[in-house]
Each structure stands twice: as C-alpha cells, then as structure tokens.
C-alpha cells in the first residue's frame, strides 16, 4: 500500500516487476533508469544473488497528475525469478501497489512462466492481496525470438481477466516505456478511487 511523505508532499507507490528468471525484468528497470532525467530519479541499487540481480530505484515522473496536491513518486523493483528466492520475493512484494508480470515469449520458457505466475498468486494470497483487484499489466517480452509463442496463446494462458498487455523487446527498449506508463496510470486510478471514497493511502 502506498504511503504519504507529508514533508515532501509526495505519495510513494511501489511497482514490482515479476516473472521467471532472465525474462527481462532487469532489462526493463535498467532501460527506464537510463531514460529518466537524472534530477528526477534516485540511485539505482543492485542486490546480487548467485544467478540473478534484484534492482530498485525511485523516480518522480513528469507527466503524472497530482493526487490532492501531492506528487506521485514511484519505486520500481525487480524480483528474483528462481523458485528458491521465495522469501525474498515475498519481502519485496510487501506493500506493493502495482505489478508488471514479464513473460518470456520463448516456447521452452512457458513452464517457467506458468510456475512464476502461480508463485505470484501464492505470494500475494499469503499477504492478503487479491490478484484480481491489484493493478496488473502483462509484458510479453522477447517477441523477436524465433518461434515465439503466439500472442493468442499467451493471452489464453495468462490474461484471462483481460488486463492491459504489451508486446516488447526490452533489450531494444521496445514496449518498455509503454508498459511503465500503463501500470503507473493503473496505480494512479486506484489511488484516486480510494481518495474519492475517503480511503487511506498510507
């Protein structure tokens, strides 16, 4: 859940990039960081594990509406994809406001995608989140690979609730900013809905 910094008049929101190992989560975060104005972003922090890195940084986007006079600061996180990092994943998901699920479009990674999506559902459920209600965007990455799984199959497998989805080639920046914009807007809509109902955002 987002929290309010009254001294800076900012609403802080956490967006987590979730998906199997090597699906492109880190590539997304690095691209966004490199294309965010230096004076509007925090430090990029990297926590290395044996096989994968967890990255996070915060930034103030230029084109996001204020909420009741408060600016919105987004904190972006990646989560280790390997199954044995489950405790780390649950810790990072704590207080999440929006999720980007990054799917690896390669045929031989479909089982890993499904396993990761099921792990996401379990982790959220244990923390009292309802996946059907939390802001969620799908990114179908690596669309340039030979024999990539069709968009129709990916949609049928993962996106039965018809959330927004974007095809991407993250290592070329394709679809990266579009995905970020969509999840950011979804989080803002959720916060505005809570504010209009008199709900707390902290």
């Amino acid at each position: 859940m987002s929290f309010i910094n009254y001294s800076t008049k900012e609403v802080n929101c956490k967006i987590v990039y979730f998906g199997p190992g090597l699906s492109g989560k880190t590539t997304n975060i690095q691209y966004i960081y490199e294309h965010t104005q230096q004076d509007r972003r925090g430090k990029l922090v990297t926590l290395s594990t044996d096989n994968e890195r967890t990255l996070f940084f915060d930034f103030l986007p230029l084109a996001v509406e204020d909420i009741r006079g408060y600016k919105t600061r987004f904190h972006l996180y990646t989560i280790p994809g390997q199954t044995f990092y489950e405790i780390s994943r649950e810790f990072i998901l704590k207080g999440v406001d929006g999720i980007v699920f990054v799917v690896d479009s390669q045929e031989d990674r479909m089982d890993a995608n499904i396993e990761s999506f099921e792990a996401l559902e379990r982790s959220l459920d244990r923390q009292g989140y309802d996946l059907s209600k939390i802001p969620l965007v799908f990114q179908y990455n690596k669309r340039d690979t030979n024999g990539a799984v069709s968009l129709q199959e990916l949609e049928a497998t993962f996106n039965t609730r018809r959330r927004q989805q974007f095809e991407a080639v993250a290592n070329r920046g394709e679809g990266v900013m579009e995905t970020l914009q969509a999840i950011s807007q979804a989080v803002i809509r959720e916060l505005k809905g809570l504010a209009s109902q008199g709900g707390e955002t902290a």
Side-chain angles (χ1 to χ4, degrees):
M1 184 65 94
S2 58
F3 67 94
I4 298 173
N5 186 327
Y6 292 99
S7 63
T8 61
K9 296 205 73 175
E10 292 175 358
V11 178
N12 290 263
C13 303
K14 178 189 279 190
I15 294 175
V16 173
Y17 282 67
F18 203 105
L22 306 177
S23 59
K25 304 181 299 295
T26 296
T27 305
N28 269 272
I29 295 293
Q30 289 175 325
Y31 184 90
I32 294 165
Y33 182 81
E34 291 165 3
H35 291 79
T36 299
Q37 292 184 16
Q38 190 170 351
D39 61 345
R40 301 188 73 84
R41 72 187 188 198
K43 182 180 179 182
L44 181 66
V45 179
T46 303
L47 304 175
S48 294
T49 57
D50 291 339
N51 299 300
E52 196 173 13
R53 292 172 295 167
T54 294
L55 277 74
F56 59 92
F57 78 99
D58 63 274
F59 74 105
L60 273 170
L62 287 168
V64 171
E65 297 178 44
D66 290 358
I67 300 174
R68 291 187 173 181
Y70 283 72
K71 296 185 181 299
T72 306
R73 180 178 292 274
F74 290 103
H75 299 253
L76 303 187
Y77 288 76
T78 64
I79 280 188
Q82 282 80 4
T83 55
F84 46 83
Y85 292 122
E86 192 153 357
I87 294 175
S88 298
R89 291 202 304 265
E90 294 204 6
F91 177 76
I92 296 171
L93 278 171
K94 188 176 178 64
V96 67
D97 294 290
I99 295 169
V100 174
F101 189 80
V102 183
V103 176
D104 189 326
S105 293
Q106 298 175 99
E107 178 69 46
D108 63 0
R109 297 295 291 160
M110 282 297 285
D111 287 345
N113 288 322
I114 293 169
E115 182 180 3
S116 181
F117 193 64
E118 291 172 347
L120 172 62
E121 289 188 289
R122 287 195 305 273
S123 294
L124 291 174
D125 185 63
R126 278 195 287 266
Q127 297 193 47
Y129 293 104
D130 185 344
L131 185 61
S132 68
K133 296 179 180 178
I134 196 166
L136 170 68
V137 170
F138 288 93
Q139 183 188 90
Y140 301 132
N141 192 27
K142 303 186 183 180
R143 298 305 293 163
D144 59 334
T145 54
N146 290 330
V149 176
S150 70
L151 182 61
Q152 291 75 14
E153 182 177 343
L154 293 173
E155 285 282 88
T157 303
F158 300 104
N159 197 13
T160 55
R161 295 189 179 100
R162 311 305 297 170
R163 302 297 188 93
Q164 281 186 281
Q165 53 81 16
F166 297 87
E167 296 183 86
V169 183
N171 61 6
R172 297 205 298 255
E174 296 175 15
V176 172
M177 302 308 283
E178 293 86 346
T179 302
L180 174 64
Q181 183 178 23
I183 191 59
S184 299
Q185 289 175 345
V187 169
I188 293 297
R189 283 195 300 270
E190 182 76 8
L191 291 177
K192 285 187 172 181
L194 288 172
S196 67
Q197 295 167 20
E200 292 292 332
T201 57

